[in-house]
Amino acid sequence: MSVRSGDLTEKWYEYVYRDRGESVRRFAERYPDERALSVSCERFGHDYRFVRPLLANPDEALRAGKAALSRFLSSETDRELRDVYLRVCDLPGESEVALADLRAEHLNSLHTMRCVVTDAGPLRPKVVRAAFRCAKCEEVTRHVPQSGREFRTNAKCPRCSSVGYLSFESEASEYVDAQEVTVRDPDGDDELPVLLEHDLAGAVSDGDHLRLVGIPRASRTGDSTVADTWVESVSMECLTDRGR
């Protein structure tokens, strides 16, 4: 189903932000220390013209959500909220898929997955907005957001339009905590790596049972046409009772 980005932005504004004004404003005040905003899919009700595009094309739908957030806050603050995480949860049952059943048709769409953590890796800094220095004009720009695990570069300097003279400027870039964990199917041995960022990083331990909302991705290495599957996390609920 094709839905215009403007329509998606309007739906985010109507369902999520318009009647949550005070909590959204408090979120904006805490940015960038806090970058994650929880959004229950139940707020969208039975509007299939929003929920279906959210599940089928989450990248576009989440971009629309960030655009609606900027619109809502435009009259409230002059701060620019970049690299916000919209933690969408409570997806409809049709979104759930077992790790063992993940196929090419599930790539780049939004799913709920139940899983068990088998290996929680160390926390490491992850670039979320990369800065580059131009060797010609010597200006530093930071216009390249970094989502997922593949580093994106600037092809052309936005100041002087030179091509091929940009180098990554680590100290001027922006980072968040990130963690890669390995999870398996609760009823099987199928394992996948999951990338956790910001508030989700460091929140799980080996053996934890999770309800994970994420986007299965494919990464190709070398000259092979066969890709490896991993999951980009959107939200996460730990089902393990640690009080026992």
Side-chain angles (χ1 to χ4, degrees), residues 11-224:
K11 289 180 182 294
W12 275 95
Y13 190 90
E14 176 186 352
Y15 293 142
V16 179
Y17 303 124
R18 190 168 61 180
D19 62 347
R20 294 181 62 191
E22 190 56 38
S23 63
V24 175
R25 292 184 190 97
R26 288 197 300 269
F27 166 75
E29 291 171 358
R30 294 191 290 265
Y31 179 89
D33 294 328
E34 180 179 325
R35 297 171 181 255
L37 185 64
S38 179
V39 179
S40 173
C41 202
E42 294 175 353
R43 299 186 67 87
F44 311 131
H46 300 287
D47 187 347
Y48 68 93
R49 288 185 60 81
F50 181 88
V51 175
R52 287 184 182 176
L54 173 66
L55 299 181
N57 192 350
D59 293 317
E60 181 180 357
L62 292 173
R63 280 195 298 269
K66 295 173 186 180
L69 177 62
S70 297
R71 171 187 160 190
F72 177 81
L73 293 171
S74 61
S75 61
E76 305 287 339
T77 178
D78 58 359
R79 304 183 68 186
E80 184 181 4
L81 272 66
R82 305 182 302 187
D83 312 308
V84 168
Y85 297 92
L86 296 175
R87 300 291 186 210
V88 179
C89 57
D90 303 321
L91 268 58
E94 66 191 78
S95 74
E96 187 160 343
V97 62
L99 297 185
D101 294 333
L102 283 174
R103 300 291 185 266
E105 65 185 89
H106 298 107
L107 294 177
N108 305 314
S109 52
L110 193 62
H111 293 280
T112 302
M113 293 155 276
R114 293 178 184 266
C115 51
V116 181
V117 178
T118 60
D119 183 31
L123 267 67
R124 295 175 177 170
K126 176 187 179 295
V127 180
V128 290
R129 189 161 292 269
F132 294 88
R133 182 181 296 277
C134 178
K136 275 203 166 182
C137 69
E138 298 187 348
E139 290 289 335
V140 174
T141 58
R142 56 177 77 166
H143 295 294
V144 185
Q146 304 291 328
S147 60
R149 301 192 300 180
E150 296 182 5
F151 188 74
R152 298 174 57 206
T153 61
N154 248 354
K156 180 170 67 174
C157 176
R159 299 289 175 85
C160 69
S161 298
S162 297
V163 177
Y165 291 89
L166 296 175
S167 60
F168 175 60
E169 190 75 7
S170 176
E171 293 184 0
S173 299
E174 298 178 22
Y175 297 82
V176 297
D177 288 331
Q179 180 184 31
E180 189 167 287
V181 304
T182 303
V183 300
R184 68 167 174 81
D185 196 312
D187 301 318
D189 299 322
D190 296 85
E191 290 189 333
L192 282 180
V194 177
L195 180 63
L196 306 176
E197 296 185 31
H198 187 43
D199 56 313
L200 303 185
V204 299
S205 303
D206 291 1
D208 281 347
H209 286 247
L210 309 178
R211 181 184 291 112
L212 177 71
V213 174
I215 307 172
R217 304 288 195 187
S219 295
R220 188 184 62 83
T221 57
D223 297 327
S224 175

